[in-house]
Amino acid sequence: MTRTQRSIRAAARAVGVAAAVSVMASSAIACSTGSEQIERDGAAVDRGDMVMVSEVRSLTNPYEAAWVQGSRAYAESLGIELKVIVYGGDSQNALSQLQSVLAAGKTVLLNINPNTSADTPAIVRAVQNSGGCAVTQWSKPADLHPQDVGNGWASYVAYDGVQQGADTGKALVDSLGGTGGVIALQGLLANEISQTRFQGFQQAMDGQSGVTLLDDQPADFDRNKAYTTTQTLLNKYGDQVNGIWAATDSMALGALQAAREAGRAGEIKIASAADATPEALGAIANGELLSTYTTDPYFNGAMGLAICYQAMTGALDVESLPRENREFFVDQSLITANNVDQFLAVPTDEEIVRSVQDPFSRITGPVAR
């Protein structure tokens, strides 16, 4: 079993976290690219002056709940306060809540999954201008790089969505024996990882001739929207639908619910492109889902904070980091019925913390410019 498999294993751990951060509407800090920046002099920041921030869309999403669990395990291991910001898919809410924490005066160590690529510039500049440290994951504009902003944006962490989409699309095509009709559920259309996953899925479809894409619709990473969208498409296409591809587990599970209610669970092949949530793993084990992809939410939730903590305590010098440590892909694994058993155990807090002692240990390559 690989190190990734041992430490990510998403399984049913209930994560009870509440965001207790007030909203401040001002956007002046982040939106002013000409504002005076606070430059650190290289001195280490005292642990008591730090606050760690983990920012996600929703805690009802099992992937993001596991991400927060990883953040919590790491922060607690150091005795540093963790603030969880849940922004509900609202980009302005994500920024205004972050500004509220920045205004409190402590040095902010931020780990965030931005709502869209367009949100990243304001977020990282706000942290840079405050003298804090940010690691962003999943989404950023292609022409914006950490070095463009400064040492306050330590790293951008990416996941190969094209690979995820292509591998899970191929699994779906293969499960149909190369013939049939499928529908696809995309995430947020403005989200980079959603775009790349669908691109990979299209590559898998282009590589064969017998499976037809009947329709594709955005479901915004939302389980309920995926459920209602699938209901509509099943009513529209009926028995022509032999397979469903979804960009995330939450959407795949919404589609599965619709298939169950139509009496077609197991008959309609459903492939998810990401997240390895406990419920999805169980559905793979019992034959109702074909696949998911693990990007280890526990590791991801701790990794960004570990990079910032090491930067702020002098364990690493952001300015001297090689390019592949500023913008990089991390390893990931396709999960099917053939290997799902390897991912069912839950990592302990100690395993999560140990996995990020070297937060760059899972780099698979730099993000191409």
Side-chain angles (χ1 to χ4, degrees):
M1 187 182 299
T2 67
R3 178 182 179 186
T4 301
Q5 291 166 339
R6 286 195 303 270
S7 59
I8 62 176
R9 305 171 184 163
R13 169 184 285 180
V15 181
V17 184
V21 185
S22 61
V23 176
M24 183 173 69
S26 168
S27 59
I29 296 175
C31 295
S32 173
T33 56
S35 61
E36 181 181 359
Q37 295 188 356
I38 300 172
E39 296 292 345
R40 293 182 62 247
D41 61 5
V45 177
D46 184 84
R47 190 181 299 182
D49 293 330
M50 299 178 186
V51 58
M52 292 184 169
V53 179
S54 188
E55 194 159 355
V56 297
R57 290 185 189 87
S58 170
L59 292 176
T60 61
N61 180 311
Y63 172 87
E64 293 189 299
W67 162 303
V68 169
Q69 178 62 23
S71 297
R72 181 176 298 282
Y74 186 71
E76 288 182 351
S77 75
L78 297 168
I80 297 176
E81 178 186 10
L82 175 71
K83 288 187 178 294
V84 177
I85 293 177
V86 181
Y87 60 84
D90 182 326
S91 298
Q92 180 55 39
N93 189 25
L95 178 59
S96 62
Q97 289 201 61
L98 172 62
Q99 289 172 334
S100 180
V101 179
L102 292 170
K106 283 196 170 184
T107 300
V108 168
L109 281 60
L110 173 68
N111 188 32
I112 185 171
N113 176 8
N115 197 40
T116 71
S117 298
D119 298 339
T120 301
I123 289 167
V124 296
R125 289 190 170 109
V127 175
Q128 165 75 19
N129 292 352
S130 75
C133 177
V135 169
T136 65
Q137 302 191 41
W138 295 100
S139 298
K140 75 169 184 63
D143 60 352
L144 183 71
H145 310 286
Q147 295 90 329
D148 300 336
V149 174
N151 296 340
W153 185 13
S155 296
Y156 164 65
V157 185
Y159 305 84
D160 192 341
V162 174
Q163 181 187 29
Q164 294 167 3
D167 287 351
T168 54
K170 183 179 184 301
L172 180 59
V173 169
D174 290 348
S175 75
L176 298 175
T179 60
V182 303
I183 58 177
L185 301 174
Q186 298 192 57
L188 290 163
L189 295 182
N191 184 276
E192 179 183 354
I193 195 66
S194 178
Q195 295 167 3
T196 56
R197 285 176 188 154
F198 187 63
Q199 179 186 343
F201 169 71
Q202 290 175 305
Q203 289 180 6
M205 293 294 291
D206 290 343
Q208 53 77 49
S209 58
V211 177
T212 302
L213 179 59
L214 301 171
D215 209 331
D216 69 89
Q217 295 291 332
D220 301 344
F221 301 127
D222 183 85
R223 181 170 181 157
N224 289 333
K225 186 169 183 179
Y227 165 67
T228 57
T229 300
T230 302
Q231 280 187 318
T232 299
L233 294 177
L234 290 178
N235 287 334
K236 179 177 180 179
Y237 294 103
D239 290 343
Q240 295 180 66
V241 180
N242 307 114
I244 300 172
W245 178 89
T248 62
D249 286 355
S250 58
M251 294 188 294
L253 291 166
L256 175 57
Q257 181 182 353
R260 284 171 177 160
E261 292 178 4
R264 301 187 64 192
E267 173 193 340
I268 297 177
K269 307 301 182 183
I270 304 175
S272 168
D275 290 352
T277 62
E279 190 177 355
L281 293 173
I284 291 172
N286 69 26
E288 290 186 308
L289 286 185
L290 282 173
S291 70
T292 186
Y293 231 102
T294 181
T295 51
D296 191 351
Y298 300 103
F299 175 82
N300 299 346
M303 168 187 52
L305 297 179
I307 291 172
C308 283
Y309 179 74
Q310 291 184 16
M312 286 300 182
T313 56
L316 64 84
D317 177 14
V318 173
E319 189 170 7
S320 67
L321 287 175
R323 175 190 158 196
E324 58 265 27
N325 287 36
R326 299 296 299 273
E327 298 180 62
F328 56 87
F329 288 107
V330 295
D331 65 353
Q332 52 190 8
S333 301
L334 174 68
I335 301 175
T336 66
N338 293 331
N339 64 349
V340 67
D341 289 346
Q342 300 174 15
F343 296 88
L344 290 173
V346 183
T348 66
D349 288 354
E350 290 76 17
E351 287 174 325
I352 293 169
V353 172
R354 191 160 54 246
S355 75
V356 296
Q357 286 179 343
D358 177 3
F360 302 115
S361 63
R362 298 186 187 178
I363 291 177
T364 60
V367 175
R369 295 198 176 193

